[in-house]
Amino acid sequence: MHDSKQPALFIPHGGGPCFFMDDPRGIWRGMEAYLRGIAATLPARPRAILVVSGHWETEGFAFTGAEHPALVYDYYNFPPHTYELRYDAPGDPTLAARATALFRDARLPASIDAARGLDHGVFIPLKVAFPDAAIPVVEMSIDRGLDPALHLAAGPALAPLRDEGVLIIGSGMSFHNMRGYGDPRFTAPSDAFDAWLTRAVEADADIRAAELTRWEDAPAARASHPREEHLIPLMVAAGASDRPGRSDYREQVLETAISGFRFS
């Protein structure tokens, strides 16, 4: 048992390598400050970090099992220096095996991918939040079926890890419509969806699970997520707690409401 139970978080990871590029308009500064401040809010330094990324989809769930995971530069048409960014955090094959066993005990499909590296939904925000790259990192995929109930069920399976010093992070975006960013016509719809999402997150766990399972019925749901792969990591983080969550961060970014959430 670890001395301090870690929370589960849902964080926005920004746009590509946005935090490591010139930002003359200050678009990403608030989000960067939020990410940079996460470590100071934790009860203790995590023993390891497990990140559920909206950028890795598999049949069933998978965990990275490499001792020294490579990086996957899965963003396109950015400045050359952003493809030279490094985040040399160690992997944690033991944690990957433990998580896989927990899933199998819960009758959830899970496997270990010893070759997979960390994609930008993982290494970009962690490079801001934990720049020393000293904490072991395991990435978890989302199931390509994108079933919210399945991902909510994954949370309780992972919950014991929180007592073992593992920080669980869902990495995505609370609004993810590429055509909507920077378009003022999406300000009101994104605000409506964000308000609904915040209410759902802050509800008691059973109500929260029911609401998130039916997220497509929310105001402006499909305007905010034409495809929900960036929302699905929230389901895992929410499922890892039986207590009401809370809004940890909210900001207008490129004319749209973006939030981060914490589950204690």
Side-chain angles (χ1 to χ4, degrees):
M1 181 74 68
H2 198 262
D3 291 340
S4 300
K5 183 175 186 175
Q6 292 290 335
L9 308 176
F10 175 72
I11 64 168
H13 61 236
C18 58
F19 309 115
F20 302 97
M21 297 166 52
D22 291 338
D23 185 14
R25 293 168 53 200
I27 293 169
W28 303 106
R29 286 176 196 157
M31 191 180 296
E32 180 180 3
Y34 160 67
L35 294 172
R36 201 173 298 284
I38 284 174
T41 71
L42 301 177
R45 184 174 173 86
R47 177 186 69 76
I49 304 173
L50 189 150
V51 185
V52 186
S53 173
H55 284 276
W56 185 21
E57 299 179 33
T58 56
E59 192 72 35
F61 298 103
F63 298 90
T64 56
E67 291 188 5
H68 302 285
L71 300 185
V72 179
Y73 298 95
D74 55 338
Y75 43 78
Y76 307 97
N77 300 317
F78 285 92
H81 79 271
T82 63
Y83 299 93
E84 298 173 0
L85 294 170
R86 297 303 312 156
Y87 193 73
D88 297 321
D92 192 336
T94 301
L95 173 58
R98 168 91 168 116
T100 302
L102 288 170
F103 270 33
R104 289 176 178 166
D105 288 346
R107 299 181 181 272
L108 295 170
S111 61
I112 295 175
D113 187 334
R116 168 77 185 193
L118 308 178
D119 61 53
H120 83 272
V122 178
F123 77 83
I124 290 295
L126 291 189
K127 191 172 174 65
V128 178
F130 302 95
D132 61 4
I135 301 173
V137 176
V138 169
E139 178 173 348
M140 174 181 146
S141 71
I142 57 175
D143 177 75
R144 62 170 51 104
L146 305 181
D147 177 5
L150 176 65
H151 292 82
L152 282 159
L158 294 175
L161 299 177
R162 297 176 52 204
D163 287 315
E164 299 167 16
V166 177
L167 175 63
I168 296 172
I169 296 178
S171 175
M173 294 287 277
S174 59
F175 175 95
H176 193 257
N177 182 335
M178 301 305 290
R179 294 182 177 181
Y181 291 122
D183 186 339
R185 293 175 297 178
F186 281 82
T187 299
S190 71
D191 280 342
F193 181 75
D194 193 82
W196 173 87
L197 189 62
T198 300
R199 287 194 300 272
V201 162
E202 293 178 346
D204 289 340
D206 326 353
I207 297 172
R208 178 176 71 225
E211 290 291 294
L212 291 178
T213 299
R214 299 189 301 265
W215 76 271
E216 288 181 271
D217 297 333
R222 281 299 177 189
S224 299
H225 291 277
R227 190 173 185 273
E228 59 267 38
E229 79 286 345
H230 275 67
L231 183 65
I232 288 294
L234 168 64
M235 313 302 179
V236 181
S241 172
D242 59 3
R243 300 174 63 184
R246 74 168 193 260
S247 178
D248 229 17
Y249 161 81
R250 188 183 191 278
E251 188 180 14
Q252 291 292 128
V253 179
L254 294 171
E255 311 288 350
T256 62
I258 303 292
S259 286
F261 301 104
R262 174 177 299 247
F263 302 91
S264 57

